[in-house]
């Protein structure tokens, strides 16, 4: 069994190689270390190895970890977000990856206003009809981005997607390509969307080749989740 520090080094090398393959600088790519189901002691090993951005998908599980690890880390919310949980997420998480409705935008803006902060978000995009349950459809995306840019206490940084799972990771490539195209189309209309959150343990190299600026990686660092 390899240690967490060894896994991290391996993932960082793979990120670097994937970036170099397409002439990108690996510094443009943020590693979001996914710590769902991972206990605080193992997260601390990742902190010691130099990692600083962590992703959690459940508020109740995450909040004690945020408290324990402290300000040294930045936390991203990557799980499906229900409106009634927004109040616990806003302000505690640096970036929310999963905003996919006007209702969520309204609630995030409201909670951010209360705390007098600007909450950074990504819009989650659903690129396949059957497979992913959450995310805004391509057709609904531009109207949603337009609305998002009207809220004073929200800053939209980019887009996120979770493609369907394929044993052959190469099959995810069209989804990553599409997210990048959609971003480019939106930017032509004047929106600034620099961040693309795409790619997980089994397909992050392909996502990087297609333009990912954030990869969300759990298993390749901490091993299989129980
Ligand atoms: C769990 C999770 C990940 C990490 O998945 P791995 O396959 O363990 O790397 C990434 N993104 C989201 C949204 C997740 O829920």
């Amino acid at each position: 069994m390899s240690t967490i520090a060894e896994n991290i080094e391996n993932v960082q090398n793979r990120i670097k190689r994937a970036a170099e393959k397409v002439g990108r600088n690996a510094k443009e790519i943020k590693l979001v270390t996914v710590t769902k189901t991972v206990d605080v002691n193992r997260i601390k090993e990742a902190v010691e190895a130099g990692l600083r951005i962590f992703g959690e998908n459940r508020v109740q599980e995450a909040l004690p970890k945020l408290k324990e690890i402290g300000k040294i880390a930045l936390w991203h919310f990557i799980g499906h977000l229900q409106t009634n949980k927004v109040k616990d997420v806003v302000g505690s998480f640096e970036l929310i990856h999963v905003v996919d409705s006007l209702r969520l935008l309204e609630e995030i803006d409201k909670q951010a206003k209360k705390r007098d902060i600007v909450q950074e978000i990504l819009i989650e995009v659903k690129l396949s009809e059957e497979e992913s349950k959450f995310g805004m459809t391509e057709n609904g995306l531009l109207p949603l981005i337009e609305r998002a840019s009207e809220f004073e206490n929200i800053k939209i940084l980019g887009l996120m997607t979770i493609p369907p799972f394929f044993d052959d990771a190469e099959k995810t490539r069209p989804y990553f390509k599409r997210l990048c195209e959609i971003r480019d189309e939106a930017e032509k209309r004047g929106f600034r969307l620099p961040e693309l959150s795409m790619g997980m343990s089994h397909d992050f190299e392909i996502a990087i080749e297609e333009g990912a600026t954030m990869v969300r990686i759990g298993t390749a660092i901490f091993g299989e989740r129980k």
Side-chain angles (χ1 to χ4, degrees):
M1 279 257 302
S2 48
T3 65
I4 289 171
E6 285 165 351
N7 290 343
I8 290 169
E9 197 185 339
N10 180 260
V11 165
Q12 285 170 332
N13 286 333
R14 286 168 64 189
I15 289 172
K16 195 156 175 279
R17 278 199 299 274
E20 279 166 1
K21 188 173 165 190
V22 292
R24 298 183 63 196
N25 186 338
K27 291 203 181 85
E28 299 166 10
I29 297 148
K30 294 183 197 74
L31 171 55
V32 179
T33 306
V34 177
T35 50
K36 63 188 183 206
T37 79
V38 175
D39 63 50
V40 166
N41 286 335
R42 292 161 77 220
I43 301 175
K44 283 181 178 165
E45 282 186 50
V47 171
E48 269 161 37
L51 299 187
R52 290 294 179 271
I53 309 175
F54 298 99
E56 283 278 340
N57 69 344
R58 287 211 179 139
V59 184
Q60 258 41 294
E61 181 190 333
L63 291 179
K65 296 180 185 178
L66 267 69
K67 219 172 153 199
E68 176 97 10
I69 305 282
K71 291 279 177 218
I72 191 164
L74 299 177
W75 295 85
H76 289 189
F77 194 80
I78 63 168
H80 178 61
L81 183 55
Q82 286 159 320
T83 317
N84 63 343
K85 295 283 163 62
V86 166
K87 62 179 185 315
D88 300 321
V89 168
V90 167
S92 295
F93 290 82
E94 211 68 25
L95 180 65
I96 304 174
H97 286 229
V98 289
V99 180
D100 63 356
S101 70
L102 182 57
R103 264 189 78 203
L104 269 180
L105 284 176
E106 287 168 346
E107 185 63 18
I108 291 168
D109 189 63
K110 183 176 140 194
Q111 296 297 338
K113 221 171 233 99
K114 270 191 195 165
R115 291 163 182 75
D116 198 21
I117 59 167
V118 174
Q119 176 68 54
E120 297 187 330
I121 65 156
L122 305 176
I123 304 282
E124 179 176 359
V125 188
K126 171 171 154 171
L127 296 174
S128 68
E129 277 314 313
E130 325 80 66
E131 318 237 9
S132 58
K133 279 179 281 185
F134 303 113
M136 179 45 74
T137 57
E138 280 192 46
N139 285 339
L141 186 64
L142 270 179
L144 194 68
I145 293 173
E146 229 153 75
R147 290 305 304 274
S149 60
E150 291 165 4
F151 290 104
E152 283 176 5
N153 295 72
I154 289 179
K155 182 168 189 212
I156 166 174
L157 295 188
L159 305 178
M160 178 269 205
T161 199
I162 308 174
F165 180 86
F166 299 101
D167 284 329
D168 176 7
E170 189 57 41
K171 292 201 174 121
T172 56
R173 190 181 297 277
Y175 295 90
F176 298 143
K177 233 189 226 332
R178 185 67 197 132
L179 194 70
C180 197
E181 284 168 8
I182 291 173
R183 187 274 307 273
D184 293 347
E185 285 162 22
E187 289 211 322
K188 272 188 207 137
R189 295 176 190 230
F191 299 105
R192 276 277 299 145
L193 302 167
E195 303 288 351
L196 290 179
S197 166
M198 55 188 198
M200 310 182 4
S201 288
H202 78 296
D203 57 13
F204 68 87
E205 282 135 318
I206 293 165
I208 289 169
E209 286 171 31
E210 297 302 333
T213 63
M214 293 181 183
V215 289
R216 309 178 308 267
I217 298 180
T219 309
I221 290 173
F222 297 108
E224 290 294 333
R225 281 180 292 273
K226 279 157 238 122

